């Protein structure tokens, strides 16, 4: 059994108030000074003010605080959310800080985050700023490998589609479809019909998974297709999922991470189980895709099994990363979706009970996704993401930041011009 709504909201609120009190304020805006690794594995990290993005910046932090303030009416939470969103909107105009494309790392994600956070706060200023950013997005000028969900065209298509659905704006949905068709044209089709994309340099093969691989790209294509049906987009998504299924290793019981990483043998793949790379993101995406009538059974079962096994292992380790991107609560987010789809949630209840006991009641510092585990405020590696998970536990209507647009797929509705 999951924690009841009262304790889950209490955990999210404790985290949210802590974030709000750490804000650095100037006028009607605010930011945070967070630790950020400058190089892979760098320890200790450097410190700098947050960027405008959703991944670790003021856009994501402001969005979390907005969702929290909608459920815990409080002036500090509401005012800090608005101040963070103003900072994100202002800084998103600076091309030296953020590029146009991508959901978590691009201006497209900032735009839809402002829209949805503004909707939660009933804040027209944030919604107008978000629409302005989305309307100004370029539909061309991208690099050939700028295709993934984090910082590429898949993230832009997804952001435009969600915004078009929220605003009932057919022109935004049409722009999402235009970006999605461009994305399909950048894919590499193999003789057996599978489809994949170059998403970053330094890989031994095109990547699978949600953040940088075929799973996230397929998700974006399916969301656009759900709003503006297009056989080409749906076919491409199915071919992308087939590429991912082909990459599965029964021996390793998982999917390879084909990045060439410093300090790791170049001829040896490893098999992570995170949201960003591996089974957790794959499981979560396929749970939603099953709502579109796609046959997901084999790969979905394998991904959920791998996620539950890794979550059990991490639960028994002292000092585990607890955050969303590649931590224990990112696995819990996928298992929560599994539970709500009527599937076995594995160790989900034990994960949440342990987190509440040790870090909420026991008042130990919530560990971040940095090697030092020091406190950071952002969504994917920090406290805002932990708080978001507990908001989801408290309120089933609160969508996952790890699977944006899932409600569009699972409701089965179609809108458009």
């Amino acid at each position: 059994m999951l924690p009841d709504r009262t304790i889950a909201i209490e955990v999210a609120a404790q985290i949210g108030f802590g974030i709000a009190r750490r804000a650095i304020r100037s006028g009607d805006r605010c930011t945070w000074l967070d630790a950020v690794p400058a190089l892979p594995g760098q320890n200790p990290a450097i410190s700098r003010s947050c960027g405008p993005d959703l991944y670790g910046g003021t856009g994501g932090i402001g969005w979390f605080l907005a969702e929290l303030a909608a459920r815990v009416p409080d002036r500090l939470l509401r005012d800090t959310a608005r101040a963070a969103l103003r900072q994100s909107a202002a800084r998103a105009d600076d091309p030296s800080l953020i590029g146009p494309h991508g959901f978590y790392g691009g201006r497209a994600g900032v735009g839809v985050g402002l829209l949805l956070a503004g909707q939660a706060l009933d804040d027209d200023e944030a919604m107008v700023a978000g629409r302005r950013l989305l309307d100004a997005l370029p539909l061309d000028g991208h690099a050939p490998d700028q295709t993934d969900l984090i910082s590429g065209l898949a993230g832009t298509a997804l952001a435009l589609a969600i915004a078009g659905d929220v605003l009932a704006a057919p022109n935004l949905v049409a722009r999402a479809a235009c970006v999605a068709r461009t994305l399909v044209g950048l894919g590499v089709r193999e003789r057996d019909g599978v489809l994949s994309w170059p998403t970053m340099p330094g890989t031994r093969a095109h990547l699978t998974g949600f953040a940088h691989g075929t799973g996230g790209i397929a998700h974006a294509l399916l969301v656009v297709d759900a709003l503006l049906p297009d056989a080409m987009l749906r076919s491409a998504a199915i071919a992308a999922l087939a590429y991912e299924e082909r990459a599965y290793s029964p021996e390793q019981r998982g999917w390879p991470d084909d990045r060439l990483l410093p300090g790791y043998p170049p001829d040896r793949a490893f098999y992570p189980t995170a949201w960003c790379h591996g089974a957790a993101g794959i499981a979560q995406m396929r749970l939603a895709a099953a709502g579109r009538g796609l046959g997901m059974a084999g790969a979905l079962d394998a991904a959920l099994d791998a996620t539950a096994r890794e979550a059990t292992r991490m639960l028994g380790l002292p000092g585990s990363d607890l955050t969303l991107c590649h931590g224990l609560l990112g696995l819990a987010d996928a298992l929560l979706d599994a539970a709500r789809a009527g599937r076995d949630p594995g160790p989900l209840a034990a994960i949440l009970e342990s987190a509440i006991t040790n870090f909420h009641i026991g008042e130990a510092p919530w560990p971040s996704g940095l090697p030092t585990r020091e406190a950071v405020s952002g969504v994917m590696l920090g406290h805002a993401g932990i708080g978001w998970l507990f908001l989801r536990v408290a309120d089933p209507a609160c969508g996952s930041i790890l699977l944006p647009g899932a409600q569009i797929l699972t409701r089965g509705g179609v809108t458009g011009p």
Side-chain angles (χ1 to χ4, degrees):
M1 294 182 64
L2 301 184
D4 66 26
R5 180 183 186 278
T6 301
I7 187 66
I9 281 286
E10 186 179 290
V11 174
Q14 179 208 49
I15 290 170
F17 282 118
I19 292 171
R21 292 181 186 118
R22 292 195 300 271
I24 301 169
R25 302 173 190 275
S26 177
D28 64 356
R29 298 190 213 165
C30 73
T31 189
W32 287 262
L33 189 65
D34 270 354
V36 180
L39 297 170
Q42 182 183 29
N43 190 11
I46 63 170
S47 294
R48 67 183 182 204
S49 62
C50 291
D53 57 277
L54 299 185
Y55 188 95
T58 52
I61 299 169
W63 188 1
F64 161 65
L65 292 175
E67 295 288 351
L68 178 60
R71 295 163 175 84
V72 181
D74 180 88
R75 183 174 178 179
L76 175 64
L77 295 176
R78 188 177 185 86
D79 288 352
T80 308
R82 283 176 161 163
L85 296 171
R86 288 190 191 103
Q87 174 74 352
S88 180
R91 304 257 293 173
D93 282 325
D94 187 342
S96 70
L97 296 175
I98 191 169
H101 295 299
F103 195 92
Y104 299 94
R107 203 171 299 130
V110 174
V112 76
L114 287 166
L115 274 178
L116 295 176
Q119 185 180 57
L121 291 172
D122 194 21
D123 184 343
D124 289 341
E125 178 187 344
M127 296 187 72
V128 168
R131 179 64 189 262
R132 177 183 61 81
L133 288 174
L134 292 166
D135 285 340
L137 289 174
L139 300 186
D140 53 12
H142 51 271
D145 62 351
Q146 197 173 29
T147 55
D148 69 0
L149 209 64
I150 293 277
S151 57
L153 293 181
T156 299
L158 182 60
L160 287 167
I162 293 170
D165 185 59
V166 168
L167 296 174
N171 63 318
L172 289 179
V173 177
R175 295 187 80 214
C178 179
V179 174
R181 293 183 193 109
T182 299
L183 180 61
V184 171
L186 294 171
V188 177
R189 183 85 63 170
E190 299 183 31
R191 288 185 178 181
D192 60 357
V194 303
L195 186 63
S196 62
W197 286 263
T199 56
M200 62 171 60
T203 65
R204 65 174 62 82
H206 291 167
L207 301 179
T208 62
F210 197 77
H212 297 288
T214 50
I217 295 172
H219 176 69
L221 296 177
L222 288 173
V223 170
V224 176
D225 172 64
L227 296 173
L228 192 63
D230 185 324
M232 181 184 75
L233 300 183
R234 186 180 178 89
S235 173
I238 292 170
L241 295 174
Y243 175 85
E244 200 164 69
E245 288 168 9
R246 192 181 69 179
Y248 176 75
S249 168
E251 294 78 19
Q252 298 291 336
R253 299 170 74 183
W255 284 263
D257 182 346
D258 282 308
R259 291 174 296 165
L260 299 173
L261 299 174
Y264 201 85
D267 59 344
R268 188 188 310 166
F270 67 110
Y271 294 80
T273 314
W275 165 81
C276 49
H277 297 275
I282 290 170
Q284 204 161 13
M285 178 268 161
R286 286 169 183 266
L287 279 167
R292 294 294 292 167
L294 300 181
M296 295 284 110
L300 176 55
D301 290 344
L304 286 173
D305 176 68
T307 301
R309 283 188 289 104
E310 178 64 7
T312 300
R313 186 190 74 84
M314 289 185 71
L315 184 60
L317 294 178
S320 285
D321 171 4
L322 222 65
T323 53
L324 294 187
C325 182
H326 46 257
L328 183 56
L329 292 188
L331 308 184
D333 201 64
L335 295 174
L336 179 61
D337 280 354
R340 288 176 174 162
R343 290 176 168 267
D344 182 1
L348 175 61
I351 292 168
L352 297 175
E353 180 182 358
S354 173
I356 291 168
T357 299
N358 292 321
F359 304 105
H360 179 64
I361 297 172
E363 298 183 345
W366 291 95
S368 76
L370 298 180
T372 58
R373 299 293 184 256
E374 62 193 279
V376 295
S377 301
V379 167
M380 301 306 291
L381 297 181
H383 290 184
I386 296 172
W388 201 307
L389 184 277
F390 280 96
L391 276 185
R392 293 201 69 212
V393 173
D395 183 0
C398 182
S400 173
I401 188 63
L402 299 185
L403 195 68
Q407 297 94 329
I408 294 172
L409 295 182
T410 55
R411 74 176 182 229
V414 174
T415 64

